[in-house]
């Protein structure tokens, strides 16, 4: 008789803090260091014992990521916003004080698998906060007078203890976060429910790696509203595609976006990349670690964002009537369509609509908050 083997029960999920593991971030240098010795973290902490070195490294990833949230709040004064809300399973996004009421808002979206505010786990642990997290980007934006909103696209589930997790860091019983079950849905949700209802007159996106896909979806599915509020997209080593964008969206992208590709070529030198749909330049990353690209090109990215805010929105005219509004650049596409792919409507995930208050008090009914 065949007996089906029992599946092993998953081990209880234990959360450790950095201090419990004997480590902390030096807030002066941003480096991860041993709390007792003060020495910077080294992967070879146990010498030639590869197993122990790997176990220590793996054990530090999640606690180090959670410590980024602490620094965003304690050192930068950022405030958490529960998404969808604190009365149900949720994750947090973070905004600078008064960020949603400022004229200019920078939205930072990190890439695949990591917690919000982290460019890459390996860089965070090995190189520290400056290169491994968005903290320096936030500081740079605040210094220029912009509001900053840091999204959290990968914490799509809540663990059994009620805290949000990524699929990469948690094994066990979990509950999906409604309306934010995938990174794309999270970005769509925050765009429609929070960013569109904010007082910000101009929004610029920083999209790293797979985040470029989610931001392109905003342009594709919410074209008119997106180009009416967004002034630019900065892609960093993005893997997005423009394959299904209509002509209006492609025209806007070519004028309002820029891609910094991971490359050892001199910083900001032009590169050929037909896939990006916009100007592509080198991030100037001369290291073997491609996850260092965001830090390598930070100043160039911030300068581009400033130029986008100075230029203002770009109005893609579809009826051959060009606008001459101050701060608005117009493009004539009289024979192009609106940029909405009606063939893809069946792919949309319908989520209950709510009323959103637009700047000036205008209330609109909003039913498009997340996409597959």
């Amino acid at each position: 008789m065949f007996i089906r083997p029992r599946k092993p029960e998953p081990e209880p999920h234990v959360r450790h803090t950095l201090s419990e593991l004997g480590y902390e971030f030096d807030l002066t240098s941003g480096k991860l260091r041993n709390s007792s010795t003060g020495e910077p973290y080294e992967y070879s902490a146990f010498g030639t014992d590869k197993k122990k070195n790997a176990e220590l490294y793996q054990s530090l990833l999640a606690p180090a990521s959670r410590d980024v949230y602490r620094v965003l709040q304690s050192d930068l004064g950022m405030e958490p916003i529960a998404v969808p809300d604190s009365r149900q399973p949720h994750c947090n996004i973070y905004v600078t004080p008064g960020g949603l009421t400022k004229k200019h808002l920078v939205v930072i979206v990190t890439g695949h698998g990591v917690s919000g505010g982290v460019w890459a786990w390996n860089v965070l642990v090995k190189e520290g906060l400056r290169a491994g997290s968005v903290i320096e980007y936030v500081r740079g934006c605040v210094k220029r007078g912009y509001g900053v909103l840091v999204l959290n696209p990968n914490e799509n589930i809540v663990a059994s203890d009620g805290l949000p997790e990524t699929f990469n860091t948690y094994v066990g019983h979990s509950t999906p976060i409604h309306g934010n079950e995938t990174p794309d849905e999270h970005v769509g949700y925050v765009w429609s429910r929070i960013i569109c209802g904010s007082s910000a007159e101009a929004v610029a996106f920083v999209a790293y790696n797979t985040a470029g896909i989610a931001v392109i979806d905003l342009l594709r599915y919410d074209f008119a509203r997106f180009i009416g509020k967004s002034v630019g997209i900065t892609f960093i080593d993005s893997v997005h595609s423009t394959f299904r964008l209509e002509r209006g969206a492609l025209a806007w992208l070519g004028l309002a976006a820029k891609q910094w590709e991971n490359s050892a070529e001199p910083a900001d030198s032009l590169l050929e990349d037909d896939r990006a749909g916009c100007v592509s330049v080198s991030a100037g990353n001369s290291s073997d670690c491609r996850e260092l690209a965001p830090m390598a090109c930070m100043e160039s990215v911030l300068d581009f964002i400033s130029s986008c805010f100075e230029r203002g929105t770009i109005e893609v005219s579809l009826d051959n009537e060009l606008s001459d509004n101050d701060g608005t650049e117009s493009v004539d596409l009289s024979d192009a369509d609106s940029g909405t792919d009606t063939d893809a409507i069946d792919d949309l995930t319908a989520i209950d609509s709510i009323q959103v208050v637009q700047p000036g008090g205008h209330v609109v009914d909003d039913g498009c908050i997340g996409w597959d």
Side-chain angles (χ1 to χ4, degrees), residues 209-233:
N209 196 255
T210 54
I213 300 171
V215 176
I216 283 291
D217 274 355
L218 298 182
L219 176 62
R220 177 184 173 195
Y221 290 124
D222 202 5
F223 177 72
R225 200 160 54 156
F226 188 81
I227 69 169
K229 201 171 183 75
S230 302
V231 296
I233 306 172

Side-chain angles (χ1 to χ4, degrees), residues 102-231:
K102 288 186 176 292
K103 179 179 179 180
H104 297 144
L105 176 66
V106 178
V107 180
I108 302 177
V109 195
T110 50
H112 175 69
V114 295
S115 302
V118 177
W119 296 126
W121 281 318
N122 61 327
V123 177
L124 179 65
V125 171
K126 295 178 181 178
E127 301 293 333
L129 291 169
R130 294 190 71 250
S133 77
V134 304
I135 287 171
E136 292 303 314
Y137 272 74
V138 175
R139 286 193 174 122
C141 290
V142 169
K143 187 176 180 180
R144 297 176 188 228
Y146 309 146
V148 185
L149 184 64
V150 177
L151 272 55
N152 194 354
N154 299 302
E155 288 190 351
N156 308 123
I157 56 175
V158 168
S160 55
D161 60 2
L163 295 178
E165 285 283 359
T166 72
F167 285 106
N168 286 359
T169 58
Y170 181 74
V171 177
H173 176 74
S174 63
T175 304
I177 298 176
H178 177 67
N180 293 262
E181 288 91 342
T182 68
D184 290 2
E185 288 182 358
H186 173 82
V187 174
Y189 187 104
V190 175
W191 160 255
S192 190
R193 295 256 177 126
I194 297 174
I195 298 172
C196 285
S198 73
S199 301
E201 297 178 15
V203 177
F205 284 85
V206 177
Y208 173 58
N209 196 255
T210 54
I213 300 171
V215 176
I216 283 291
D217 274 355
L218 298 182
L219 176 62
R220 177 184 173 195
Y221 290 124
D222 202 5
F223 177 72
R225 200 160 54 156
F226 188 81
I227 69 169
K229 201 171 183 75
S230 302
V231 296

Side-chain angles (χ1 to χ4, degrees), residues 304-323:
F304 178 75
I305 289 172
S306 295
S307 69
C308 289
F309 284 138
E310 291 172 4
R311 180 243 301 143
T313 57
I314 297 175
E315 180 177 308
V316 179
S317 176
L318 306 179
D319 55 7
N320 209 25
E321 295 181 4
L322 302 184
S323 169

